[in-house]
Amino acid sequence: MKKNSNYPEGFVDEEMRRSLLGIFAKLRRPVTLAAFLEENGPLSKEIRQLFFDLEGLSDKISLRLLNKDEEPALEKQAFVSYYPCIALFNHTGEFTGIKFRGMPGGHQFNSLIIALYNTAGPGQPLDEPLLHRIRKIAGPVNIEIAVTLSCAFCPDVVMACQRIALENPSITAEMIDIHHFPDIKNKYRVMSVPCLILNGSRTLFGSRSMEEIVELLEQV
């Protein structure tokens, strides 16, 4: 992906750039962020600009901007059903279970960076007994996390769910910005965020720790 003068840096200022360079310098394995975009949608334009801002910050991170249906096999692998969508793939090209429906801006930018850090290594440490429980969850479990980008409590829930997905291939975890996807808000009657939607049937509101989320998933 080449820099494009139509998308000047806007999401990553110089201070943030220095901070990201320090985080990304620790990455050990290559990862790929693939964005599946609508041709003219405003969110897709924001994602393009974000990717141009991130370009060149680490040789471990590959960034792919794809139009809808451009690579159907890749979309199928990541279970992409809404656009725009960002999916994260590991060093072997496998889908990690981590997705972002919409633009991971605002507080959710941290969720994106932590997802990269955890996937490419070294990653945040996990308590061994909790890790064992995560890996024992039978699945399949699809976790949708309804958020707003201004919610200060939402990133912790998104990061916990996505870390769980990273450790168990039968689990997927997708951030959904309900401001831009009102069909989800209406379908599940999302009155507050964060909201966990488990396998499209069970809806749970409020902030939860990773251990509390694991307990929920053990009962699915």
Side-chain angles (χ1 to χ4, degrees):
M1 186 178 69
K2 296 181 179 179
K3 287 281 188 181
N4 187 324
S5 59
N6 292 326
Y7 298 98
E9 293 186 0
F11 291 105
V12 179
D13 59 23
E14 189 55 38
E15 182 179 355
M16 187 182 297
R17 182 183 176 87
R18 288 195 296 268
S19 178
L20 291 176
L21 285 170
I23 295 170
F24 292 161
K26 301 174 183 177
L27 303 185
R28 298 172 179 172
R29 297 177 295 274
V31 294
T32 299
L33 271 181
F36 304 93
L37 307 175
E38 299 170 307
E39 187 172 354
N40 297 312
L43 278 181
S44 293
K45 183 176 181 180
E46 289 185 14
I47 291 171
R48 288 188 183 96
Q49 180 164 333
L50 172 64
F51 272 41
F52 288 130
D53 283 358
L54 294 176
E55 177 72 7
L57 293 184
S58 172
D59 60 2
K60 294 290 193 297
I61 302 173
S62 296
L63 301 164
R64 300 193 64 188
L65 291 169
L66 302 168
N67 292 323
K68 181 180 178 181
D69 299 326
E70 184 175 341
E71 289 207 18
L74 205 62
E75 291 186 27
K76 184 177 180 180
Q77 184 184 352
F79 310 104
V80 176
S81 59
Y82 287 83
Y83 304 87
C85 176
I86 299 172
L88 180 57
F89 297 82
N90 65 20
H91 66 288
T92 65
E94 296 174 316
F95 175 51
T96 60
I98 295 174
K99 288 189 292 185
F100 298 85
R101 189 183 307 181
M103 166 70 181
H107 289 294
Q108 289 302 326
F109 184 72
N110 290 336
S111 302
L112 175 65
I113 301 307
I114 292 299
L116 290 168
Y117 181 76
N118 285 332
T119 303
Q124 298 169 303
L126 270 182
D127 179 70
E128 192 63 34
L130 184 60
L131 179 60
H132 180 69
R133 289 171 60 192
I134 291 170
R135 291 174 175 172
K136 282 186 64 178
I137 296 170
V141 182
N142 178 43
I143 311 170
E144 296 169 294
I145 312 106
V147 306
T148 62
L149 302 187
S150 61
C151 170
F153 300 101
C154 292
D156 287 342
V157 177
V158 171
M159 287 186 281
C161 291
Q162 292 186 338
R163 184 59 191 276
I164 291 168
L166 191 60
E167 298 295 343
N168 187 322
S170 68
I171 299 173
T172 59
E174 180 175 19
M175 179 217 83
I176 303 174
D177 178 3
I178 59 168
H179 177 72
H180 291 286
F181 294 93
D183 56 325
I184 298 296
K185 180 178 181 179
N186 295 331
K187 179 179 179 180
Y188 297 105
R189 299 180 182 179
V190 177
M191 305 304 294
S192 65
V193 292
C195 172
L196 294 180
I197 305 164
L198 304 182
N199 285 341
S201 59
R202 188 178 181 190
T203 305
L204 301 150
F205 297 94
S207 182
R208 285 174 167 80
S209 68
M210 184 181 294
E211 184 164 2
E212 289 172 327
I213 296 169
V214 169
E215 289 177 3
L216 290 171
L217 299 182
E218 290 172 331
Q219 300 166 16
V220 172

